[in-house]
Every structure is written in C-alpha cells, then in structure tokens.
Amino acid sequence: MSNSIYLALDFPDWQTTGAFIDNHELHGIPVKVGMELFYKEGVSVIEKLKENGHPIFLDLKLHDIPTTVNRAMQNLAKLEVDIVNVHALGGSEMIKQAKEGLLAHGGHHETKLIAVTILTSMDEQIMSEELTLPHNLRENVSHFATLAERSGADGVVCSVHEASAIKSACKSPFLTVTPGIRLHETNHNDQKRIATPAFARRNNADMIVIGRSVTRANDSLKAYEQAVKEWENGLKH
Ligand code: C5P
C-alpha cells in the first residue's frame, strides 16, 4: 500500500481505534493521531501503533510561545514519530524553536516538522471577515509556507488547491501535506476546500490525510483501497 496516505484516526479512545483497525484489516498503514485520541490515551497510543508498524503523523498543531514549543517538541521527539506539526501563525521564532526542540533529541530518527498554513475548514470569507487577515487566501497560504520554510520547517499542511503555488514559492523537497480529501460522492462534512486523491496527486500534494471518507464508509478497507487507487491513478493523467 502507498506510504503517502495517512488515515486520520479521529476516534475517542484506543478501544475504538484498535477495534477499527482490526475489523477493517488496516494494520500497518500510515496513520494520523490527532488531539482527540492523544488527549485521551497519551503516549501509550503512539507506542501501540508503533508496535503494530504504523508510520505516524502526530497532529497536535502546537501554537504557544517559542520556549514552551521548544520544550514540548523535545518531549515529542522522544516518541520518534514521522511527522509532528505547529501552526505557522505562531511565527518564525516559534517554528525555529520547534525545530530546535526536535533536533535536541539527537539519535538517528528524523521527525519531520510541518506547519499548518490556513486550516482547510476555513474559507476566504471566514479568513477575511472573522479573522480580518489582509490579502486573499492563496496569498496568505503562500506567505505562511515561505515563512515556515525560512524558519526550518520541512513542509506545510495546506489545501490541495494551494499545493502547486507553494511548490513554486518554496524550494523542493519542501513537503505539501493535504487534508480535506474526499472520495467521489462522499459527504464534505465541515471541510470547505476539498479534493479527491487523484486531484491531490496531480496538483503537487506529496502526502494526503483522509479521515471520514474512509472511517465512516460502509466498508472502510474498500474505501482506503479506493483512496490508494485514486492516488495512484493521479499520476497517470
Ligand atoms: O475527516 P476528514 O478527512 O475531514 O479529516 C481531516 C483530518 O485532517 C482531521 O483529523 C483534521 O484535524 C485534519 N486537518 C484538517 N485541516 C488541516 C489540518 C488537519 O482537516 N489544515
């Protein structure tokens, strides 16, 4: 199975998560652990997933003063997951300190640091009217991406629709990780800027995060396999 499709394990606890993985035979696939599951189970959920061979993206979206983020990252680094993240809105010093905190751990394992640009649940209207951010959404996303790159991040979380602009603005191999993925004919839920896996692949996403399209499908294994197939087909056109 492809290594680039992270399944969002947005479940309330380990019991539900473990049962889901077992029931749908999704052992060993790349997974994303978010706040809901981590705040319930803590480090043990990471240890269990690692024992079962899952590559892990730990999605805690840190956003605090630089010193606090540095120290938090020193602790997260010990978990030796593949990806952790911060909000780019925390600014350059915070991102730099996040990277330094990760590197302070030493050792052979490299945990990549990625920065969230603008959440894919936001649209232009929320961004300008509620948050009163100047410029349009695409400009802000590209700005946050270059800020993150300059500050030592390895990539960004962005919408598929912004991945190509980010690739042009930043140097390769700066990673684009894109949530807001939907298989054909599934509910959009609260995501505003969505796309299919094939569209993501064609439009410069290096990795995708997929959640409810798979976890809420009648047959989750089939839905995950469909996502892999669509991702692979994205290269063919
Ligand atoms: O269910 P769905 O496919 O919408 O899941 C999206 C996952 O990606 C959620 O776990 C959410 O926290 C995460 N995410 C996101 N937008 C971002 C960053 C992460 O939707 N910008």
Side-chain angles (χ1 to χ4, degrees):
M1 281 200 178
S2 170
N3 223 359
S4 308
I5 305 180
Y6 282 77
L7 180 65
L9 296 177
D10 293 326
F11 295 112
D13 53 33
W14 173 251
Q15 204 186 355
T16 321
T17 309
F20 173 83
I21 292 170
D22 284 344
N23 292 341
H24 299 286
E25 295 174 26
L26 288 164
H27 305 104
I29 62 161
V31 290
K32 183 178 82 67
V33 174
M35 297 181 206
E36 181 185 8
L37 185 56
F38 192 78
Y39 289 162
K40 174 67 168 70
E41 302 290 353
V43 165
S44 73
V45 73
I46 302 298
E47 286 163 351
K48 285 179 188 136
L49 289 166
K50 280 178 72 174
E51 272 166 28
N52 293 332
H54 295 273
I56 301 169
F57 169 11
L58 182 54
D59 177 23
L60 300 180
K61 299 188 182 74
L62 274 63
H63 188 172
D64 208 319
I65 60 169
T67 306
T68 301
V69 170
N70 176 305
R71 287 164 180 256
M73 282 298 180
Q74 289 188 42
N75 278 342
L76 292 185
K78 293 176 194 150
L79 302 180
E80 301 198 334
V81 297
D82 297 292
I83 307 173
V84 293
N85 60 359
V86 293
H87 272 287
L89 269 163
S92 63
E93 187 54 28
M94 190 203 77
I95 300 169
K96 275 182 204 152
Q97 290 298 326
K99 185 74 181 182
E100 279 183 25
L102 281 180
L103 293 175
H105 174 58
H108 296 296
H109 186 86
E110 192 208 353
T111 299
K112 292 204 183 301
L113 174 69
I114 58 174
V116 177
T117 53
I118 305 267
L119 291 170
T120 42
S121 52
M122 301 247 174
D123 58 17
E124 188 98 39
Q125 194 187 0
I126 300 177
M127 197 198 66
S128 60
E129 289 177 18
E130 275 184 30
L131 303 184
T132 65
L133 284 174
H135 312 298
N136 67 37
L137 199 143
R138 196 163 286 209
E139 283 165 346
N140 282 329
V141 168
S142 286
H143 173 71
F144 288 138
T146 51
L147 176 84
E149 186 189 32
R150 278 201 312 276
S151 311
D154 301 296
V156 282
V157 184
C158 62
S159 130
V160 172
H161 304 282
E162 289 115 29
S164 292
I166 288 169
K167 287 284 182 189
S168 310
C170 301
K171 291 181 208 84
S172 208
F174 196 64
L175 292 171
T176 48
V177 181
T178 65
I181 300 295
R182 293 290 174 270
L183 299 176
H184 279 304
E185 294 163 26
T186 49
N187 191 336
H188 293 179
N189 304 110
D190 54 354
Q191 297 279 20
K192 304 272 198 291
R193 293 166 12 252
I194 54 146
T196 63
F199 184 88
R201 187 82 185 261
R202 282 199 293 275
N203 287 276
N204 277 311
D206 294 309
M207 297 175 193
I208 57 176
V209 170
I210 189 163
R212 289 163 289 186
S213 269
V214 169
T215 55
R216 298 204 187 160
N218 290 333
D219 184 338
S220 292
L221 175 59
K222 207 165 137 208
Y224 186 80
E225 285 170 345
Q226 176 68 24
V228 173
K229 205 163 118 203
E230 288 188 30
W231 175 252
E232 283 164 1
N233 282 343
L235 268 192
K236 294 183 188 150
H237 302 285

